[in-house]
Amino acid sequence: MSKIKSSNLGYPRIGESREWKRALENFWSGVISETELIEKTTEIRLRNLKKQQEKGIDLIQVNDFSLYDHVLDTAITFGIVPKRFNYTGGKVDVHTYFAIARGTDGAVASEMTKWFNTNYHYIVPELNDVTPSLVENRALTFYKEAKDKLGIDGKPVILGPVTFVKLAKGYDPQEFSTIVETFVPLYIQILQELVEAGASWVQIDEPILVTQLSKEEIAVVEKVYEAFAEHVPHAQIILQTYFEKITAYEKIVNLPVKAIGMDFVHGDSLELLKTYGFPKDKVLAAGIIDGRNVWRANLAEKRTILEVVKQLVHHNQLIIQPSCSLLHVPVTKTLEQKLDNVIYDGLSFADEKLDEAVTLAKGLNHGTVSVQADLDQANEAIKQLIETYQSNDEIRKKVAHLTTADAQRSIPFAERIEKQKQRLQLPLLPTTTIGSLPQTPEVRRTRTKWRKGEITDQAYEQFVKEQMKRWIKIQEELDIDVLVHGEFERNDMVEYFGEKLNGFTVTEFGWVQSYGSRCVKPPLIFGDVSWDKPITVKESVYAQSLTERPVKGMLTGPVTILNWSFVHNTTPRYEIMKQIALALQKEIESLEEEGITIIQVDEPALREGLPLDRKKWNEYLTQSSQAFRLATATARADTQIHTHMCYSNFEDIFDCIDDLDADVISIETSRSHGEMVSTFEENTYQKEIGLGVYDIHSPRIPSVDEIKQNIKRALQTIAPNQFWINPDCGLKTRKEDETIAALKVMVQAAKEVRNKQLASQK
Ligand code: GLN
Ligand code: ZN
C-alpha cells in the first residue's frame, strides 16, 4: 500500500434537517406508504454517500444506514425475531422490524439499552428460542447499491459476532462460546459473498474488545477470526474498535486480519503501540478525529501524533479516520445561522470531520505544505475560541484554588438533619414527587408557539403560572407533604440550564440520534461556565408563594449537565464540571435567599458516565461526588438538599452516592425493589432516602397494597425515620388523570403505613 487513505466509520442517518425522522414517523402514523418510506430513506442514504464521495473519502462505509438501529439490523440479518412477533422465516419485513423495536398491541417491544458509554440506544437482541440463519445479506445489498448507483467501491461494515452475542440476551453465559460458534458460518457466508461481489475491504466492528473480557472470551475472539481467515482468505478485514483502547492488545493485534482499527482519541492507543509495537503485515486504521465531540480538531497536533504513528507502522500502511461512527455527532455545521463567528469557526460536525480526515491524509501523503493553510486555519479558530471564551480569570483562579473544605457543608449530616426537621416539620414517611408533572400536549404546544414567537413572553409566563397554580392545588388536595412546581417551563433538564449559563449555547440543528427516530440536541459548552442571573428562582418562588407546604427548588447537577452536553476539549473536563458546580452554588444561594427550604439537585447521568475503562472509575467517581458537594456546599445547614437518580443498579457506585452528602436521595427502584433493598442490607446508609414505590414508566395505576408491600419491604432494612415515599421518576411523560390516580394511591398507602408505625411506637 503506497498511499495513506482516509476512511469513515459511519455517517449520521438522520439527514441534515431530520428528514429521516419525519419519514419514519410519517410511516408509523400511516401518512406515507412503505414504498414512499423506502424511496425517501434511499434518497437520504444515497445523498450521504455522495457527499462523502465528493469530499474524497477513500473508504466510504456502506451498511451503516439504518431504519432504526444497527444492532437490530444485525439481528434481522440472521432472522433473529422474538417468538411473540409471529415471524415465519425469510427476509424480515419492515412491519416486523418496527414491531420488534416499538412493540405492537399484542407484543411488547424488545428492550432497549445504551450503546457502550454513549447516549445512543440499541435494541437488545433476544437469542432464546431462535436458530440464527442468514436470511438477508444486508451488507451485500448496500455494497451493490453504492456500486451500481454511484460507482462507489464501498467498505461494508458489519457488527462482529463477539460483540453482537455479548450485547444480546436470552442465553446462559456458560454457553457464550457455543452461541458465537453458531454464527461463525453465517458471517463466513456474508464475507464470501462480499468478496465475490468485489468488496476491497470489509469492516467488522468489535467495540466489545475495549471492555474487560475474560480469558475464555478472548479465546473465542481468536477462534472466530482464525476461522474467518481460514475460510475467506481473500477478505481484507478491518477489525474495528472504538471508545477506548483495546484491552487485550497483544492478542488482538496479532489476529489474522488485514487491518486493526483503534481509537486514538479515547484511551491511550498510542502508548500501546509504542510499548508493544504494531505488526509489519497489518494496516493500522487510526481513529484520530474525535467522533464523539463537535469541536474542530487541532490539525497540527493531530498531524504530530500521526507522524509518530506513521513511524510505528510498516510502509504507509495507515488509514486516517474518525475515532468512531459519526452517528454520535450532528450532520453539518453549515446550517447554523445564529452562532457567533468564533463559536461557529470552532465547530466541526460530521461533514467537517470528514474534511479533517481527508486533510490529514493528504498532508501525510503530500507533505505539510499541501495542507498548511488548513492547519493554520484550524489553529487560528481554536486560538480565537480560547482567547475569547476560555479565559475567565476569576473563575479559573477560583477553580484552581479550591480545597476539600470548599466542597463540604458547614456541619455534618447528623446535625444538619436535626435543624432541617425543626424547620420543615414533616410527618414520618413524608411523601413527595421527583419534580416534573405531566407535560400535556397543551403545555408542549404552548411552548412551541412561544419559541416561534407566536405568543408573547408574558402570555407564556402567564400560562406556566397557571399550570403551577393548578398543580399546587392538586398536590395539596392529594395531601402530598413536599410539593414541586412541576417543571412546566422546561423542555429539557440540561438545555434549560444551558440556555441560561454563561459559556453555553444551543444550536438550531445540532441533532443526534438517541433511539429510534428520537433525536436530542445537546447544548454546547464553548467557554468558561459562570452564573449570570437566577435561572429557576422566579418559578420556584411563585410556586412557593401559593402554599404553606415546602416546594422543592429543582436543579440539574454538574455531572449530568456535563455528561449531556458537547463540552469543548481545550480545558480538562473535570475543571469544567467544577465551573458548573460553582455556578449552581450561586443558584442555590439565590433560591435560599428567596426562602426556598428544600432544593433538589438531579444527577440522572451520574452512573451512565462511568468510563469504560475500570481503571478510570475511581477518578470519575471522586470528581463527580466532589463537584456535587461543591455545588451544594454553601447551602445553609437547615436547607435540605435532595438528589435524584434514575437507575436501580447502583451497587457499583454506592460509595460515591454516600459521598454526595445529599440529605435525601430518591432512586428509581420500583422494577427491582428487592435487589435494591438488598444493597442496603450490605451497606449502611445513614442519610434519608426514597426508593421509588411505583413505576412511572407504565400507565398502570398501582394498588394500595402493592405500594404498601414495597414500603414495608424497604422498612425491613431502612429505618422509618430515614424513609421517603415517592414515585420512581419524574411524571412528565404521564397523563394527568393517570398521575392523579396513582399519586392518590401512593398517599393512601403512605398514610396507612405511617399510622401503623406511629401506633406501634406508642
Ligand atoms: N426532576 C426531573 C424530573 O422529574 C428528573 C428527571 C430524571 O430523573 N431524568 O423530570
Ligand atoms: Zn429519574
Side-chain angles (χ1 to χ4, degrees):
M1 201 166 109
S2 55
K3 183 177 153 261
I4 291 172
K5 292 191 160 62
S6 59
S7 178
N8 185 16
L9 299 193
Y11 193 84
R13 301 152 189 166
I14 61 178
E16 290 189 357
S17 50
R18 285 185 297 159
E19 52 272 32
W20 176 82
K21 171 191 174 74
R22 265 192 317 272
L24 290 179
E25 290 174 1
N26 282 340
F27 173 67
W28 295 337
S29 61
V31 175
I32 63 171
S33 68
E34 183 177 333
T35 318
E36 283 169 294
L37 172 74
I38 300 305
E39 269 170 26
K40 282 197 191 329
T41 51
T42 303
E43 196 185 299
I44 298 170
R45 186 170 57 245
L46 293 176
R47 201 185 319 132
N48 293 348
L49 291 172
K50 211 154 165 225
K51 259 201 207 172
Q52 299 176 69
Q53 191 177 31
E54 284 162 6
K55 287 182 181 299
I57 295 285
D58 296 310
L59 307 182
I60 298 173
Q61 187 152 293
V62 295
N63 197 31
D64 54 346
F65 190 83
S66 178
L67 288 181
Y68 203 97
D69 160 45
H70 55 270
V71 180
L72 179 57
D73 293 343
T74 312
I76 64 154
T77 295
F78 302 118
I80 297 168
V81 179
K83 269 223 166 94
R84 58 187 182 281
F85 298 102
N86 304 320
Y87 165 70
T88 51
K91 179 177 159 176
V92 177
D93 64 79
V94 170
H95 293 279
T96 309
Y97 177 81
F98 287 132
I100 304 171
R102 309 179 64 233
T104 61
D105 283 345
V108 291
S110 279
E111 193 187 311
M112 172 174 85
T113 194
K114 276 182 193 270
W115 173 246
F116 297 86
N117 60 352
T118 74
N119 193 26
Y120 174 83
H121 299 68
Y122 69 91
I123 300 290
V124 182
E126 298 174 36
L127 299 183
N128 34 320
D129 303 329
V130 291
T131 315
S133 65
L134 184 62
V135 299
E136 186 196 6
N137 188 344
R138 298 170 54 86
L140 181 66
T141 310
F142 294 115
Y143 174 76
K144 283 187 175 156
E145 178 191 63
K147 199 170 197 179
D148 296 347
K149 299 245 165 77
L150 299 167
I152 293 174
D153 174 21
K155 172 193 58 167
V157 60
I158 47 183
L159 181 58
V162 184
T163 302
F164 179 74
V165 176
K166 263 305 249 196
L167 298 184
K169 63 175 197 180
Y171 65 90
D172 177 355
Q174 299 283 333
E175 303 278 297
F176 177 70
S177 159
T178 326
I179 307 259
V180 174
E181 266 165 42
T182 60
F183 283 94
V184 170
L186 312 179
Y187 274 86
I188 287 175
Q189 194 183 337
I190 293 177
L191 292 170
Q192 266 161 355
E193 290 176 8
L194 286 170
V195 170
E196 275 161 32
S200 308
W201 291 95
V202 182
Q203 177 184 321
I204 306 187
D205 281 2
E206 291 282 17
I208 205 78
L209 297 177
V210 309
T211 64
Q212 287 308 305
L213 294 180
S214 66
K215 268 205 191 96
E216 293 74 28
E217 287 165 334
I218 296 290
V220 173
V221 177
E222 290 178 311
K223 232 170 142 181
V224 167
Y225 287 88
E226 273 155 20
F228 291 173
E230 186 189 331
H231 295 277
V232 208
H234 298 300
Q236 295 213 85
I237 295 176
I238 307 176
L239 179 59
Q240 183 64 49
T241 64
Y242 33 84
F243 302 149
E244 244 306 332
K245 63 169 187 282
I246 296 174
T247 31
Y249 178 77
E250 285 171 281
K251 287 241 157 80
I252 300 306
V253 84
N254 286 310
L255 292 174
V257 292
K258 184 66 196 166
I260 304 280
M262 292 163 72
D263 188 329
F264 280 79
V265 178
H266 312 92
D268 211 344
S269 296
L270 185 58
E271 204 47 46
L272 287 177
L273 229 63
K274 284 184 186 162
T275 314
Y276 303 103
F278 191 78
K280 277 200 157 144
D281 61 337
K282 285 195 177 64
V283 176
L284 174 67
I288 190 83
I289 299 295
D290 193 346
R292 299 284 296 273
N293 216 335
V294 295
W295 303 98
R296 200 159 171 171
N298 186 331
L299 292 177
E301 233 168 60
K302 300 287 182 192
R303 157 112 217 199
T304 311
I305 299 174
L306 288 173
E307 288 293 351
V308 179
V309 172
K310 198 178 151 191
Q311 301 305 317
L312 296 163
V313 302
H314 197 60
H315 279 319
N316 280 353
Q317 299 198 89
L318 192 58
I319 296 174
I320 309 298
Q321 60 191 21
S323 65
C324 61
S325 167
L326 297 174
L327 163 73
H328 306 290
V329 291
V331 180
T332 170
K333 73 170 183 177
T334 56
L335 298 173
E336 300 299 329
Q337 304 271 317
K338 295 192 178 154
L339 298 174
D340 79 43
N341 283 340
V342 173
I343 299 173
Y344 182 87
D345 284 344
L347 288 173
S348 169
F349 293 178
D351 280 353
E352 294 79 30
K353 284 181 189 293
L354 292 173
D355 292 335
E356 292 176 331
V358 171
T359 300
L360 287 172
K362 188 171 157 202
L364 288 172
N365 286 320
H366 307 294
T368 308
V369 184
S370 70
V371 293
Q372 193 60 53
D374 291 318
L375 264 50
D376 290 346
Q377 255 183 33
N379 189 41
E380 182 57 26
I382 294 164
K383 203 174 113 210
Q384 283 298 329
L385 196 64
I386 294 175
E387 279 173 11
T388 320
Y389 292 119
Q390 298 168 22
S391 47
N392 181 335
D393 282 344
E394 194 193 327
I395 188 96
R396 287 189 168 241
K397 264 199 203 119
K398 229 175 177 174
V399 168
H401 293 119
L402 284 171
T403 63
T404 349
D406 293 321
Q408 211 72 274
R409 300 280 297 269
S410 59
I411 52 174
F413 170 77
E415 294 165 38
R416 289 193 314 258
I417 195 73
E418 290 313 318
K419 290 182 189 285
Q420 293 164 14
K421 286 200 158 140
Q422 275 285 323
R423 187 179 185 196
L424 296 169
Q425 295 293 329
L426 296 171
L428 185 73
L429 301 171
T431 49
T432 190
T433 60
I434 302 305
S436 61
L437 292 167
Q439 295 240 336
T440 56
E442 193 196 2
V443 172
R444 291 176 199 278
R445 244 190 340 259
T446 311
R447 184 166 40 239
T448 309
K449 275 194 194 155
W450 168 66
R451 290 216 178 238
K452 285 188 183 157
E454 289 168 19
I455 60 169
T456 63
D457 291 357
Q458 236 175 357
Y460 178 63
E461 253 172 53
Q462 191 52 37
F463 172 80
V464 170
K465 272 184 162 178
E466 278 158 22
Q467 298 301 315
M468 289 195 273
K469 191 169 183 178
R470 199 160 61 82
W471 268 97
I472 290 290
K473 188 149 178 276
I474 295 173
Q475 293 175 84
E476 279 187 331
E477 279 164 8
L478 285 165
D479 204 11
I480 294 175
D481 301 306
V482 172
L483 314 191
V484 294
H485 78 284
E487 303 180 27
F488 297 108
E489 76 287 3
R490 300 181 197 178
N491 172 37
D492 177 277
M493 63 188 294
V494 171
E495 190 179 66
Y496 187 74
F497 289 85
E499 283 176 327
K500 294 177 178 65
L501 285 167
N502 293 329
F504 279 80
T505 191
V506 289
T507 60
E508 285 176 88
F509 301 98
W511 296 99
V512 178
Q513 188 190 359
S514 172
Y515 63 89
S517 66
R518 178 70 193 256
C519 301
V520 293
K521 192 154 62 70
L524 312 182
I525 303 183
F526 59 84
D528 288 338
V529 178
S530 63
W531 185 88
D532 189 22
K533 51 180 181 303
I535 302 169
T536 62
V537 174
K538 202 163 58 184
E539 285 78 14
S540 277
V541 167
Y542 174 74
Q544 184 63 82
S545 75
L546 303 170
T547 176
E548 293 295 313
R549 302 179 190 220
V551 179
K552 290 192 270 193
M554 199 57 66
L555 308 179
T556 305
V559 186
T560 299
I561 291 185
L562 188 84
N563 284 348
W564 286 351
S565 302
F566 281 126
V567 191
H568 72 77
N569 47 17
T570 31
T571 306
R573 275 177 83 80
Y574 294 134
E575 233 164 90
I576 303 174
M577 194 148 93
K578 286 182 192 138
Q579 295 180 356
I580 302 173
L582 287 171
L584 291 172
Q585 210 177 65
K586 293 218 169 127
E587 183 68 13
I588 292 179
E589 287 164 11
S590 14
L591 284 167
E592 281 183 327
E593 270 165 35
E594 298 296 327
I596 303 301
T597 54
I598 305 184
I599 298 167
Q600 181 171 312
V601 181
D602 289 326
E603 286 291 17
L606 196 149
R607 189 177 187 283
E608 71 179 43
L610 270 179
L612 287 170
D613 184 350
R614 272 189 176 254
K615 290 196 205 84
K616 296 180 183 167
W617 279 22
N618 196 18
E619 190 191 15
Y620 170 80
L621 291 171
T622 311
Q623 295 281 358
S624 297
S625 57
Q626 258 179 27
F628 184 93
R629 283 209 315 269
L630 183 60
T632 53
T634 56
R636 291 168 39 163
D638 62 356
T639 296
Q640 190 163 69
I641 299 292
H642 287 219
T643 189
H644 166 75
M645 301 184 182
C646 18
Y647 32 78
S648 44
N649 182 353
F650 83 144
E651 265 174 79
D652 288 339
I653 59 165
F654 190 90
D655 291 339
C656 172
I657 287 183
D658 199 10
D659 241 19
L660 299 179
D661 201 26
D663 300 307
V664 183
I665 180 170
S666 62
I667 302 182
E668 170 177 322
T669 56
S670 45
R671 280 183 287 185
S672 54
H673 216 86
E675 255 172 65
M676 187 66 198
V677 171
S678 69
T679 309
F680 283 92
E681 278 161 0
E682 285 149 32
N683 300 275
T684 41
Y685 194 75
Q686 307 290 343
K687 291 159 210 136
E688 304 208 346
I689 183 159
L691 304 181
V693 295
Y694 80 87
D695 178 9
I696 64 95
H697 304 86
S698 141
R700 202 176 69 85
I701 311 298
S703 72
V704 175
D705 268 352
E706 239 173 87
I707 295 191
K708 275 168 73 178
Q709 278 311 316
N710 279 339
I711 299 173
K712 283 186 192 155
R713 199 152 55 186
L715 292 183
Q716 286 167 5
T717 44
I718 300 168
N721 64 0
Q722 259 183 290
F723 198 69
W724 284 65
I725 292 175
N726 49 258
D728 72 345
C729 198
L731 295 160
K732 72 171 168 209
T733 54
R734 292 267 65 85
K735 296 209 169 81
E736 288 199 343
D737 52 349
E738 287 161 13
T739 301
I740 293 171
L743 289 175
K744 200 177 234 167
V745 173
M746 182 188 86
V747 174
Q748 174 71 26
K751 282 182 180 166
E752 287 179 23
V753 182
R754 180 186 297 157
N755 291 338
K756 204 147 169 225
Q757 286 281 338
L758 290 174
S760 72
Q761 280 175 16
K762 269 182 196 148

